[in-house]
Amino acid sequence: PDQPLEPTRQEPPPGTAPAPATRPAPLAAPFDAAAAKTVQNEWGNYLKVPAETTNSIGMRLVLVPAGDFLMGASQQEIDRMLPVVPQQFKGRFAKDQVPAHRVTITRPYSLGAHEVTRGQFAACVRDANYKTDAERDGAGGTTLEPKTGALKQQRGIDWRSPGFQQNDSHTVVQVSWNDANAFCEWLSRKEGKTYRLPTEAEWEFACRAGTTSPFSNGHDPAQLVAVGNIYDAPWKVEFPGPGQAPE
């Protein structure tokens, strides 16, 4: 969830850096961590807000400056990646990534530094007496067919019982767009601030963090295991049928 921000007119507290008189320059990719921190602080001074905050349910929110970046991938990059994409996702992967195009983020926003946890979502469920789509319609959430690795809907699968063990510090799963939006609406009421889901461009700008490579950690898909849970050797052992990860 993120909070759109607008400049305020209140005076800065004694001892803090004065707010710049003009709107800071946008943060244009490529950029490194040092440049991002500098521009983030400039925007924080301009808006008179901290660069990082923690809200009432323990979510750490990071101020993301306005900026621009190249969104999507070239056909050459897609052709290079397709061999490591599971068969059932190849069509969507290629369609979702083209054409590569320049995107401008015109307003700064605060974005959660981490995914919403199961414990944080549980607080929403308790306070709002909320039922997720998977619980409400009785059809269940989405899981994987063990023999093939194909996605399927299964009764009894939901955020409480996702099909594997979790605790309250883990990322909440088996929630729909409606469920995520309901969480934002609940948190907005709770705190008296506007929380919403980020746009695809806002999310990608933040997560790319100034990189221009196909992945945030470089060009080599074999190195994705260092930054994410991907279709790797354990997937092949668990789901040895069609759609398995390649060697």
Side-chain angles (χ1 to χ4, degrees), residues 97-181:
Q97 298 300 317
V98 292
H101 55 288
R102 202 79 188 175
V103 172
T104 299
I105 307 295
T106 60
R107 298 172 58 190
Y109 54 100
S110 289
L111 187 71
H114 308 287
E115 293 93 341
V116 174
T117 67
R118 177 183 168 120
Q120 290 163 345
F121 187 75
C124 166
V125 169
R126 288 193 304 270
D127 289 356
N129 194 29
Y130 182 76
K131 288 188 180 296
T132 62
D133 283 344
E135 294 171 303
R136 191 180 305 111
D137 63 21
T142 301
T143 186
L144 295 166
E145 171 58 48
K147 292 183 179 180
T148 66
L151 296 173
K152 68 173 184 177
Q153 196 168 16
Q154 181 174 319
R155 186 182 299 273
I157 295 292
D158 56 41
W159 74 276
R160 301 177 195 270
S161 303
F164 51 89
Q165 291 187 339
Q166 280 194 306
N167 61 44
D168 281 353
S169 67
H170 290 149
T171 301
V172 65
V173 296
Q174 298 293 344
V175 291
S176 67
W177 182 92
N178 292 328
D179 302 329
N181 196 55

Side-chain angles (χ1 to χ4, degrees), residues 181-202:
N181 196 55
F183 174 85
C184 292
E185 291 176 349
W186 165 77
L187 193 52
S188 297
R189 295 192 300 271
K190 177 178 173 62
E191 297 201 343
K193 301 176 182 178
T194 300
Y195 284 82
R196 62 171 174 84
L197 298 176
T199 66
E200 182 180 3
E202 287 171 336

Side-chain angles (χ1 to χ4, degrees), residues 18-109:
T22 59
R23 180 184 174 95
L27 188 59
F31 54 83
D32 59 17
K37 190 66 178 178
T38 296
V39 178
Q40 182 191 52
N41 287 333
E42 289 174 355
W43 274 100
N45 289 335
Y46 177 64
L47 298 167
K48 302 183 179 66
V49 297
E52 293 191 15
T53 58
T54 300
N55 69 8
S56 64
I57 61 171
M59 295 175 62
R60 186 162 68 91
L61 301 168
V62 177
L63 178 64
V64 181
D68 66 85
F69 72 109
L70 188 65
M71 185 173 180
S74 68
Q75 190 60 52
Q76 182 180 8
E77 290 175 344
I78 290 174
D79 292 343
R80 184 159 55 95
M81 281 300 303
L82 280 178
V84 300
V85 176
Q87 184 62 42
Q88 65 267 43
F89 301 130
K90 287 183 185 290
R92 180 173 179 180
F93 174 81
K95 180 180 178 181
D96 287 352
Q97 298 300 317
V98 292
H101 55 288
R102 202 79 188 175
V103 172
T104 299
I105 307 295
T106 60
R107 298 172 58 190
Y109 54 100

Side-chain angles (χ1 to χ4, degrees), residues 3 17 171 177 216 221 227 233:
Q3 298 170 276
T171 301
W177 182 92
S216 62
V227 296

